[in-house]
Amino acid sequence: MHKPEFSRRRILTGAGLALGAMAAPRVWAQAAPLGAKQNSQGRLVVVLLRGAYDGLSAFVPYADANYYNTRPNIAIAAPDGSTRTAIRLDNTFALHPALSPLLPLWQQGVLGFVPAAGLPAPNRSHFAAQYEMEIGQSGKTSAASGWLNKAAGINSAGHSSTVCALGVGEANPAILAGSAPVKLIPRGQAAEKTGVLANDKTRQALMDLYAGNDRVSEAFRQGAGSRMQSAQELSTEKAAATGRRDMASREPAMRDGRLDRDGTPASVQAQNAQMLAASNGAADPVGLQLDAQHLGTLMRNDRELRLGFLSAGGWDTHANQGNSTGQLANNLGNLGRGIAQLRQDFSEPGDVVVVMSEFGRTAVENGTKGTDHGYGNAMWLVGSNVNGGRWHGQWTGLARGNLNEARDLPAHHDYRAVLAQVLRASFAMPDSALASVLPGAGWDTRLDGLLRSKA
């Protein structure tokens, strides 16, 4: 029998404790105004959809005839009030029917989106584009701190041991890599377990091994303690939830969510492998609602945790994408329930949930009834301080002459300009801090109405 190997390298890798250098601040092209309402006690949750989801199916430009001309098989039917057609939002966009759980958020004015945002320049490699988006810099391939880790460092300035960022699902997401301490827990029900630490003798042996005052030992002890505490909190919450009267009404929805996994559509083996790899280690959205519950529980119990990260894969829909039903619709259904769950736990003033992806899909469907790697995409924002019930920024439609390289939705807005609006409003970050977290970016005045202004 193979015996487990307990090395410092392996343990630290499993714990997701990465160290990196903080990028030097740069001067922004334009000073960020202080017009947006600020709440220094806000919380931010980032949901990264790995694999490049199709924003043109999530937010359907039904009023544009080009949408239907270029997508004869996968377009979402224009709104007519039935369950198989898009849900009208305004005179330009409609919501995919699988995202119907989010319609109340739009109607309440807490859900908004920027329809054409993305990297400063096209990058059709999933891995390179994801990395650029996670570190908040373009064209950098060497190790760098994640922008969410840098934001955590700024928020815990003067308290070097304070952990204010939490990641659920991935062991070592680049967005959380850096010098600021973070808490990481596994996805799904594994988060409620303590692994090898549950064994008293093993735990004590590891603690003895890492009993020193060096940086590695301190990091391990912190990670081990965090894992034990998180598992205990989630187990306690689960036990309490079992006895609540509303459990019976919530269980059917969770069971229905599991039914959304209908298998991968038939395609060549190589294409399946490519689409799987595009998820970059992130699980598909089936378990996103449970991960969202875990994130909400831990951040509610520890108010120092003000930055959260979730991810979901399975969005690389090169073949048999589907329309109102099918592969993409199943994923969107699970995503919608996950975002609705996050809204329940993050509804205080200053709380914002951001949904983003490395790039969009081609505006034109391909020969296998799917879409290929594109450029611009829709970024979502959910929060009480979001100027929701409307979309923001520039939109030029899907006419061939308005597309990037006659194939993709353009990225009219740098994704970092969207994030800057949120970081300024929720954490009152000055220009110097924004320049450190998002180096090389600039303030986009076209997005100044994204967050609500002061009364």
Side-chain angles (χ1 to χ4, degrees):
M1 180 180 295
H2 177 70
K3 295 182 179 180
E5 179 185 1
F6 294 103
S7 67
R8 292 192 178 199
R9 179 181 297 275
R10 180 168 180 170
I11 291 172
L12 289 178
T13 299
L17 299 172
L19 299 175
M22 182 175 292
R26 299 183 186 177
V27 177
W28 275 38
Q30 178 174 339
L34 293 170
K37 185 176 181 180
Q38 295 155 41
N39 187 323
S40 60
Q41 296 304 310
R43 295 175 295 175
L44 169 62
V45 176
V46 176
V47 181
L48 180 58
L49 306 183
R50 297 190 186 277
Y53 90 104
D54 182 27
L56 293 175
S57 288
F59 298 101
V60 182
Y62 73 95
D64 190 336
N66 295 293
Y67 172 73
Y68 295 98
N69 293 336
T70 59
R71 295 187 167 201
N73 297 292
I74 65 171
I76 315 302
D80 69 3
S82 67
T83 58
R84 291 297 182 94
T85 65
I87 304 169
R88 184 184 183 279
L89 297 178
D90 61 15
N91 292 332
T92 304
F93 291 100
L95 194 66
H96 192 291
L99 292 173
S100 59
L102 302 182
L103 181 61
L105 304 186
W106 177 270
Q107 295 169 334
Q108 294 162 18
V110 298
L111 165 64
F113 65 97
V114 179
L119 296 168
N123 186 332
R124 303 187 199 283
S125 164
H126 289 293
F127 311 105
Q130 287 176 28
Y131 184 68
E132 286 188 15
M133 190 164 276
E134 289 183 80
I135 66 173
Q137 301 180 62
S138 295
K140 186 174 180 63
T141 57
S142 59
S145 296
W147 70 263
L148 206 54
N149 185 278
K150 288 187 284 188
I154 290 173
N155 276 283
S156 61
H159 305 278
S160 59
S161 63
T162 299
V163 178
C164 65
L166 169 66
V168 178
E170 292 187 47
N172 295 288
I175 196 170
L176 285 174
S179 57
V182 300
K183 176 183 287 189
L184 296 166
I185 65 171
R187 67 175 64 97
Q189 296 180 352
E192 301 166 11
K193 300 176 173 61
T194 56
V196 296
L197 296 175
N199 182 283
D200 291 339
K201 291 184 178 180
T202 301
R203 184 173 65 254
Q204 188 58 51
L206 289 171
M207 291 303 183
D208 290 342
L209 178 63
Y210 293 93
N213 296 323
D214 59 285
R215 193 172 184 180
V216 174
S217 296
E218 291 175 355
F220 173 75
R221 291 198 303 273
Q222 181 184 37
S226 173
R227 179 68 184 271
M228 294 289 288
Q229 179 183 355
S230 297
Q232 183 178 11
E233 289 179 21
L234 294 175
S235 297
T236 301
E237 175 71 12
K238 182 178 180 179
T242 302
R244 287 199 284 261
R245 275 190 262 176
D246 63 342
M247 191 62 180
S249 64
R250 292 193 304 184
E251 283 181 342
M254 294 179 68
R255 287 196 298 268
D256 290 343
R258 297 190 186 101
L259 296 177
D260 277 357
R261 191 204 297 265
D262 65 349
T264 303
S267 61
V268 297
Q269 184 176 2
Q271 189 176 68
N272 279 341
Q274 181 191 33
M275 290 189 286
L276 179 64
S279 297
N280 208 5
D284 64 33
V286 170
L288 189 63
Q289 185 176 8
L290 180 58
D291 288 344
Q293 289 176 345
H294 289 163
L295 186 82
T297 296
L298 295 175
M299 292 183 71
R300 183 174 61 249
N301 292 347
D302 183 356
R303 299 298 298 189
E304 294 294 333
L305 292 172
R306 298 176 57 200
L307 297 161
F309 175 72
L310 293 169
S311 63
W315 302 98
D316 196 24
T317 50
H318 285 285
N320 299 320
Q321 177 172 307
N323 39 51
S324 62
T325 60
Q327 177 189 181
L328 178 61
N330 293 338
N331 281 349
L332 288 175
N334 285 301
L335 175 63
R337 284 185 283 275
I339 301 304
Q341 176 66 46
L342 287 174
R343 172 58 186 171
Q344 292 182 29
D345 290 312
F346 299 93
S347 57
E348 298 178 6
D351 291 351
V352 178
V353 176
V354 174
V355 181
M356 54 197 291
S357 194
E358 67 262 33
F359 45 73
R361 315 296 301 183
T362 49
V364 181
E365 73 175 70
N366 61 27
T368 54
K369 299 181 182 179
T371 50
D372 297 318
H373 299 177
Y375 182 27
N377 207 352
M379 285 182 69
W380 322 7
L381 288 88
V382 179
S384 298
N385 203 30
V386 173
N387 192 3
R390 54 171 294 188
W391 52 275
H392 297 264
Q394 187 176 0
W395 171 256
T396 52
L398 301 178
R400 184 180 177 86
N402 292 335
L403 298 178
N404 174 67
E405 299 179 355
R407 67 193 295 276
D408 313 320
L409 188 67
H412 291 306
H413 303 277
D414 189 326
Y415 76 99
R416 296 172 298 179
V418 179
L419 297 175
Q421 293 275 346
V422 176
L423 292 172
R424 165 56 59 82
S426 293
F427 299 99
M429 282 192 182
D431 293 341
S432 58
L434 291 175
S436 175
V437 174
L438 304 168
W443 190 265
D444 190 339
T445 58
R446 297 171 296 171
L447 298 174
D448 282 353
L450 190 56
L451 283 301
R452 299 185 192 279
S453 299
K454 288 184 176 180

